Amino acid sequence: MDASVGARLRMVRERQNLSQRELARRAGVTNATISLIESDRTNPSVGSLKRVLDGIPMGLAEFFALEMPEEGAERVFFPAAELVEIGRGKISYRQVGTDMTRRALQILHERYAPGTDSGKVLLSHEGEEGGVIISGRMEVTVGEQRRILGPGDAYLFDSRIPHRFRNVGDEDCVVVSACTPPSL
Amino acid sequence: MDASVGARLRMVRERQNLSQRELARRAGVTNATISLIESDRTNPSVGSLKRVLDGIPMGLAEFFALEMPEEGAERVFFPAAELVEIGRGKISYRQVGTDMTRRALQILHERYAPGTDSGKVLLSHEGEEGGVIISGRMEVTVGEQRRILGPGDAYLFDSRIPHRFRNVGDEDCVVVSACTPPSL
DNA sequence: TTCAGGCGTTCACGATCCTGAACATGATGC
DNA sequence: GCATCATGTTCAGGATCGTGAACGCCTGAA
């Protein structure tokens, strides 16, 4: 509860996948300021810290109320606000956690616009993947099998089997998917 | 939610009935610092603000999460932490609210040590007063009436009638009392 | 009245912050 | 290889903060 301001800021910034410079640009401060604060080489004024947090955005109360994870403890919970949206337009997804290099499992909260197609060339790669349709309708092709899935339906298969996804409905299709090892 | 740091600090300090100098002494800063912060003539560093709040004591998260009352709105709720203990030793009491000059009703959360006596000379003043015994035992004398009250018992009388309180038990006696107009 | 003490405010100056520009490193592509 | 880009870090200097000591005001006691 009384971790340093620097450690807190670094944590929230990295959870948002922002670089020091990008955060500095959004906040209207210099990247040096971010660096100095995060390394506890300076003791920021409340005003400047607030400006920095406005670039997240996050309030001061929320910032200081943040529970810092144990040193070396593995991150387990991911508030919705931290599932940053990566794509835009036809496909967008929100990844659960960052730093996929160290993990064996990747989980995405995806949204497919109507007509989206993962491609005529069927995908094939190592690992396994699966998912659950939350809303909308999705045509899933895996090997010789083809099915249209709706809310509550799910899939799970060996990724080496050629596969393809198409949103054949007329509304967005939301899916929670998982794959191992992380692709992308 | 985004009131100035100065307004917030002034509010919490006054709710604790602390002067700028007293808070400065507890916090290990100078009174000038408190004055400058409260008047928003400076933008304190997180570190110095934390030192100041340590003198309250209050955490940064709680400080920034404080809801500021509407301008001119009357204060209605008083968290237990704000009922500051005023006395020490034989009698101590926690007053509900401050600035009694403007109020018609005064409420105290009192604790009487064993043997405490409000005095042989019976009290008498304008107004009415009453209370409820929370724990312990208290001998209450009002005019010609005398009674030993225990937990759950209560009293209520015209303050002009001479009265006296004595803790005749062998443990602390806790009472919630009220009087109008505020005495003391 | 005068004095003492507490209150919040103001001021000059030494300490600290924040900036703008450089630096060092690593990843990516030609 | 080289160039290019993005990353985090370091540094000198102007801007700002925090201190210590004053100030004016008020209240209560002698």
Side-chain angles (χ1 to χ4, degrees), chain A residues 30 32-33 42-45 48:
Chain A
T30 62
T33 301
T42 191
N43 186 356
S45 71
S48 62

Side-chain angles (χ1 to χ4, degrees), chain B residues 112-116 136-138 166-173:
Chain B
Y112 295 87
T116 305
R137 304 179 71 76
M138 177 79 77
R166 290 169 61 201
N167 179 358
V168 295
D170 53 1
E171 56 180 346
D172 284 0
C173 181

Side-chain angles (χ1 to χ4, degrees), chain A residues 104-115:
Chain A
L105 179 64
Q106 178 183 45
I107 298 186
L108 300 176
H109 192 184
E110 303 166 294
R111 185 184 55 75
Y112 296 86

